[in-house]
Amino acid sequence: MPSITRRRPPNPEGRAAVEARVLAATERLLQEGVRFTDLGVQRIAAEAGVARSTFYTHFRDKSELLMRLAGTMRESSFDRTGSWDPGGPDPLARLTEVFADVIRIYRTYAPVLAAVSEVAAYDEAVREYWATGLEQFVSRTVEALRIEQRAGRTPADLDVVAASRLIVVGGDRFLADHVSTTSPDPAADAAAARELAATWWYGVYRRPA
């Protein structure tokens, strides 16, 4: 009877472990101050303890690797802001807490943010990836503001699309600038969270009619 060569089943656990090592290795190198554009695949693979060919089995190129790193950061911060309920109890205080957490996330991923800014200047895929994520957050904010308008809590004459773009895109740039130019001073971070929350709350969600 002829032998039958069976195909090996996929190993999602092993694949995830390798990818996690590569992502963690890249984060370590960025934390050490290596510029992403100066970071070669060979060095990333060596830091992760995998072969160069293994890197390309899991990532199409360095741009995909960077987008995966940025995606983790983006999902964490977006999930945190998405948990805030403008109609809940003590909403301004809770929003301030949310932004304090988001600042901690931005600080953790500050080297990744710097790499995104660096690479987006010449890589359309990375630029579009980050822009698409912000647009999704803008759309979510538009819907939240429309709910507030229908409930009569936000002024009916508020342009929800323009206001949402202002606070989301502007807030993202403010946070990126804050963690890149300010030392990790708890007092400075607390002030940034407080002022950003007040801008969202009094400037948009509860703007005087």
Side-chain angles (χ1 to χ4, degrees):
M1 182 177 179
S3 63
I4 299 175
T5 302
R6 296 185 180 276
R7 199 176 199 178
R8 287 187 177 183
N11 183 5
E13 292 80 9
R15 182 179 181 86
V18 171
E19 291 178 357
R21 283 164 58 190
V22 173
L23 292 168
T26 306
E27 278 195 69
R28 283 196 303 273
L29 291 167
L30 292 174
Q31 290 281 0
E32 291 170 5
V34 182
R35 293 176 68 243
F36 189 77
T37 51
D38 297 333
L39 194 54
V41 169
Q42 183 60 49
R43 184 171 180 185
I44 295 171
E47 180 74 15
V50 301
R52 179 186 173 92
S53 58
T54 301
F55 175 93
Y56 286 110
T57 299
H58 296 268
F59 301 93
R60 183 180 64 253
D61 51 27
K62 280 176 55 183
S63 293
E64 182 181 345
L65 169 64
L66 180 57
M67 288 186 281
R68 290 276 299 279
L69 284 171
T72 301
M73 172 254 167
R74 190 175 67 186
E75 289 169 12
S76 298
S77 58
F78 286 6
D79 287 349
R80 188 64 185 94
T81 53
S83 67
W84 175 63
D85 178 9
D90 207 354
L92 178 56
R94 291 185 181 277
L95 184 58
T96 302
E97 293 172 1
V98 165
F99 280 128
D101 289 342
V102 170
I103 288 173
R104 282 191 284 272
I105 294 169
Y106 270 64
R107 281 210 179 280
T108 301
Y109 287 91
V112 175
L113 280 170
V116 169
S117 178
E118 176 187 354
V119 176
Y122 60 83
D123 190 314
E124 184 178 358
V126 172
R127 184 167 59 251
E128 288 298 316
Y129 176 80
W130 191 256
T132 298
L134 286 178
E135 288 303 322
Q136 291 172 350
F137 192 18
V138 168
S139 297
R140 191 165 69 184
T141 305
V142 166
E143 182 56 32
L145 284 170
R146 284 177 174 156
I147 291 172
E148 291 297 291
Q149 280 185 325
R150 289 194 291 268
R153 293 187 291 261
T154 293
D157 63 349
L158 176 76
D159 186 321
V160 294
V161 175
S164 296
R165 292 193 61 79
L166 174 63
I167 61 177
V168 171
V169 178
D172 173 71
R173 292 180 181 175
F174 166 74
L175 290 168
D177 178 75
H178 176 75
V179 300
S180 68
T181 60
T182 307
S183 62
D185 177 4
D189 286 354
R194 184 176 63 251
E195 294 304 325
L196 189 54
T199 298
W200 277 48
W201 186 246
Y202 294 115
V204 177
Y205 278 87
R206 293 298 181 270
R207 178 188 301 179

